[in-house]
């Protein structure tokens, strides 16, 4: 597209980790992305970072914030990298500890003043610092300051193997920038915190449950801000919630399977995304190796329209490009990215035939740069 450059960033494990079968990533890979055709072209690779398994984009400053999720560390780290607008290449700024183990997710508040981080946590609950989430101020250059607030979760869920302790897996600030919501897979909870957008201070305000043993992983808000949809990893379902901001209240509306009836067992949801107009959800299924397309109504109702093969094995993540015309799926166990065309009217995904090899991809993130 004229006047725009779009880059795609891919991260994954670079060192042996018990729950990743391979560690073929070399660092953070940079690609250019053609929003007219969906073509992907390699640009470069930056090394010198351990297990960059999650990437978020600060579009305001043209900076990446990247989690290092390293098994055995009491604290993960989150690193800041500046993007060169001319070619998309990266340069290191700084990093900070995340105050907990297995840094799984990060995202920005609506003003891009703070970064919020979720720590999945695999150390003993008695080992410090054991924080479920942390809030880090962002400097003007995109670098990170030390955390100014944090919170700890406690409890268990019904699955003794996966819910033996809290496991925060996703954290986002609400569209009105007044609250933080955390999906805790270990507790079957969405935990709500009041958020001070000036200071970064947080205070617990409430919680809502998903079905027992469902294991909430990632969630998204509807563009209107009144609904939330969470992908439940352990039972391959999606639950919708109504969100009442004035009361910081989440109320469950419905739960549906992200899989067709013929799918059987052995599949686990991973990523979830919503179309810009709020008409469709997309949910990745690891094991079934598909992306489910879910039609939405205005009240939180959902209908699984169909499932599309993801183009590889174990789709840990995917992202929709800034135009909304393409979806890029990352198949962790196939070392592959696959590009799909998105029909905005029907929600349908169609393989474009574009595929590219990249080692153990666990996260993909887009940055669009508008040229003067």
């Amino acid at each position: 597209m004229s006047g725009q450059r779009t880059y795609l960033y891919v991260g994954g494990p670079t060192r042996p980790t018990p729950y990743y079968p391979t560690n073929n990533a070399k660092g953070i890979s940079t690609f250019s992305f053609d929003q007219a055709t969906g073509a992907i072209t390699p640009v470069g690779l930056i090394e010198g970072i351990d297990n960059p398994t999650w990437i978020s984009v600060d579009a305001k400053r043209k900076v990446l914030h990247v989690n290092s999720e390293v098994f055995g560390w009491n604290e993960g780290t989150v690193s800041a990298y500046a993007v060169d607008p001319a070619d998309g290449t990266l340069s290191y700024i700084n990093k900070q500890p995340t105050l907990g183990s297995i840094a799984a997710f990060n995202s920005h508040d609506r003003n891009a003043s703070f970064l919020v981080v979720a720590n999945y946590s695999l150390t003993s609950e008695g080992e410090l610092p054991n924080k479920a989430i942390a809030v880090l101020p962002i400097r003007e250059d995109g670098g990170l300051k030390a955390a100014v607030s944090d919170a700890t979760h406690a409890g268990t869920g019904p699955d003794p193997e996966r819910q033996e302790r809290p496991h925060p897996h996703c954290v986002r600030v609400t569209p009105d920038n007044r609250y933080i919501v955390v999906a805790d897979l270990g507790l079957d909870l969405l935990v709500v915190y009041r958020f001070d957008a000036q200071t970064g201070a947080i205070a617990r305000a409430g919680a809502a449950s998903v079905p027992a043993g469902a294991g909430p992983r990632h969630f998204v808000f509807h563009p209107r801000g009144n609904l939330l949809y969470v992908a439940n990893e352990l039972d391959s379902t999606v639950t919708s919630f109504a969100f009442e901001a004035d009361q910081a209240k989440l109320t469950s509306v419905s739960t549906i399977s992200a899989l067709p009836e013929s799918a059987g067992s052995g599949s686990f949801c991973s990523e979830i995304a919503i179309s810009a107009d709020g008409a469709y959800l997309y949910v990745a299924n690891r094991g079934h190796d598909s992306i489910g397309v879910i039609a939405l109504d205005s009240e939180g109702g959902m209908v699984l329209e169909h499932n599309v093969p993801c183009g590889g094995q174990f789709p840990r993540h995917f992202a929709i490009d800034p135009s909304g015309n393409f979806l890029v799926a990352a198949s962790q166990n196939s070392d592959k990215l696959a590009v799909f065309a998105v029909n905005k009217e029907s929600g349908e995904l169609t393989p474009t035939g574009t595929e590219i090899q990249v080692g153990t991809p666990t996260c993909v993130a887009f940055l669009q740069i508008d040229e003067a």
Side-chain angles (χ1 to χ4, degrees):
M1 291 185 178
S2 177
Q4 295 176 337
R5 296 183 183 183
T6 304
Y7 300 110
L8 177 66
Y9 297 94
V10 184
T14 61
R15 54 193 289 175
T17 305
Y19 45 85
Y20 290 122
T22 62
N23 53 286
N24 297 328
K26 304 300 181 185
I28 305 167
S29 297
T30 302
F31 301 88
S32 64
F33 185 83
D34 189 326
Q35 289 192 58
T37 66
I40 299 175
T41 304
V43 170
L45 170 73
I46 190 163
E47 299 179 295
I49 182 170
D50 292 299
N51 281 21
T53 56
W54 183 261
I55 301 169
S56 68
V57 173
D58 178 349
K60 173 181 172 182
R61 300 179 182 85
K62 301 178 180 62
V63 167
L64 304 187
H65 292 124
V66 186
N67 284 5
S68 284
E69 169 198 348
V70 181
F71 185 80
W73 287 5
N74 281 45
E75 296 184 83
T77 61
V78 58
S79 300
Y81 289 88
V83 175
D84 185 334
D87 60 10
T89 56
L90 303 176
S91 57
Y92 175 77
I93 303 174
N94 80 331
K95 64 182 171 183
Q96 293 286 351
T98 65
L99 306 185
S101 67
I102 311 300
F105 192 99
N106 74 60
S107 62
H108 303 90
D109 83 306
R110 302 298 166 168
N111 299 325
S113 298
F114 295 93
L115 187 77
V116 289
V117 181
N119 296 303
Y120 182 80
S121 305
L122 283 177
T123 56
S124 164
E125 291 185 74
E127 292 187 53
L128 298 177
N130 190 40
K131 299 300 182 181
I133 60 170
V135 180
L136 292 77
I138 303 172
R139 303 184 325 207
E140 281 305 309
D141 66 351
L144 296 166
K145 298 180 182 179
V148 292
S149 60
D150 56 66
T152 302
H153 292 178
T156 61
D159 185 328
E161 293 186 0
R162 294 296 310 277
Q163 297 181 309
E164 81 294 354
R165 59 155 296 158
H167 290 304
H169 217 313
C170 181
V171 57
R172 294 188 186 277
V173 177
T174 55
D176 62 9
N177 220 36
R178 294 166 58 193
Y179 303 97
I180 288 173
V181 179
V182 184
D184 195 313
L185 183 149
L187 304 182
D188 287 327
L189 287 179
L190 296 177
V191 184
V192 182
Y193 292 88
R194 290 185 177 84
F195 170 64
D196 186 325
Q198 299 302 312
T199 67
I202 61 174
R204 186 157 172 158
S209 298
V210 299
R217 180 183 172 92
H218 287 183
F219 65 88
V220 291
F221 285 97
H222 191 279
R224 291 198 308 270
N226 64 328
L227 294 165
L228 177 154
Y229 305 88
V230 58
N232 299 309
E233 176 176 337
L234 301 185
D235 69 356
S236 297
T237 63
V238 178
T239 301
S240 61
F241 288 84
F243 179 61
E244 299 173 69
D246 288 343
Q247 302 180 54
K249 183 180 180 182
L250 287 166
T251 303
S252 177
V253 177
S254 63
T255 297
I256 66 168
S257 177
L259 298 169
E261 291 184 5
S262 60
S265 60
S267 190
F268 306 91
C269 285
S270 56
E271 178 63 330
I272 185 170
I274 193 167
S275 60
D277 62 1
Y280 294 97
L281 278 179
Y282 299 94
V283 184
N285 299 295
R286 297 170 294 174
H288 190 252
D289 295 339
S290 69
I291 298 175
V293 181
I294 297 174
L296 306 176
D297 68 25
S298 61
E299 304 300 323
M302 303 176 287
V303 176
L304 179 63
E305 296 282 336
H306 53 271
N307 292 75
V308 178
C310 70
Q313 295 180 338
F314 220 70
R316 189 178 187 90
H317 196 245
F318 65 84
I320 299 171
D321 86 300
S323 74
N325 292 322
F326 296 98
L327 181 151
V328 176
S331 291
Q332 172 191 300
N333 294 356
S334 299
D335 294 340
K336 182 193 292 185
L337 305 181
V339 182
F340 295 81
V342 179
N343 184 316
K344 293 181 179 179
E345 296 298 319
S346 68
E348 186 175 359
L349 301 177
T350 303
T352 65
T354 295
E355 296 181 346
I356 195 161
Q357 295 299 124
V358 59
T360 318
T362 62
C363 186
V364 292
F366 284 100
L367 172 62
Q368 176 179 290
I369 295 176
D370 297 320
E371 299 175 319

